[in-house]
Amino acid sequence: MAEKTIFKRIIDGEIPAKIIYQDDLCLAFHDISPQAPTHVIVIPRKEIPSLAAIADEDAPLLGHLLVVIRDLAKQLQLERGFRVVNNCGPYGGQTVDHLHFHLLGERPMTWPPG
Ligand code: 5GP
């Protein structure tokens, strides 16, 4: 059996995380190595390795994640704006093979990304 990802271990409560939101479909927690004053990771409970691996029937789940991100941005008072990032695959810079979105805020972002 494939080894659990670090995010699956957080879902299963095997390792601690600063969880700020959870429901039956997803959870959100502070990134262990923040790249901005606010850096939250939002993940589905469903084990999906990456954005490239989503199924058509995951569309409502993906929509839910974006609604949660919208609400978190409001809750975290990111009214000046924020960035949502999904790293997909090796060239995308993905390091944890469990679908996740980064919510970054409280500093101005630059473009293009590195
Ligand atoms: P990726 O590079 O795959 O897009 O993002 C993975 C993110 O997970 C990184 O920003 C990294 O800092 C974060 N991360 C890795 N391990 C842990 C952990 O054990 N706890 C938390 N809270 N974040 C983690």
Side-chain angles (χ1 to χ4, degrees):
M1 208 173 74
E3 205 171 296
K4 279 187 187 182
T5 66
I6 200 90
F7 289 172
K8 177 61 176 162
R9 294 185 67 199
I10 288 172
I11 291 168
D12 290 345
E14 294 174 4
I15 59 167
K18 291 181 184 165
I19 295 172
I20 58 168
Y21 175 81
Q22 56 184 315
D23 60 27
D24 55 342
L25 293 176
C26 70
L27 64 164
F29 50 87
H30 289 286
D31 196 291
I32 204 167
S33 176
Q35 302 302 310
T38 293
H39 186 171
V40 167
I41 300 285
V42 180
I43 64 172
R45 291 184 184 277
K46 182 177 177 182
E47 287 184 272
I48 303 171
S50 76
L51 195 62
I54 60 169
D56 289 0
E57 57 265 29
D58 292 323
L61 172 60
L62 271 289
H64 179 70
L65 296 179
L66 289 178
V67 167
V68 167
I69 288 168
R70 176 202 64 188
D71 290 347
L72 286 172
K74 192 168 184 188
Q75 179 188 316
L76 295 165
Q77 299 180 304
L78 304 180
E79 58 277 331
R80 284 188 291 182
F82 53 87
R83 181 168 289 176
V84 178
V85 172
N86 171 259
N87 297 324
C88 183
Y91 270 28
Q94 184 175 2
T95 59
V96 178
D97 291 335
H98 183 115
L99 175 66
H100 56 281
F101 291 96
H102 300 254
L103 171 60
L104 299 140
E106 284 188 89
R107 71 163 168 83
M109 304 293 158
T110 59
W111 194 263

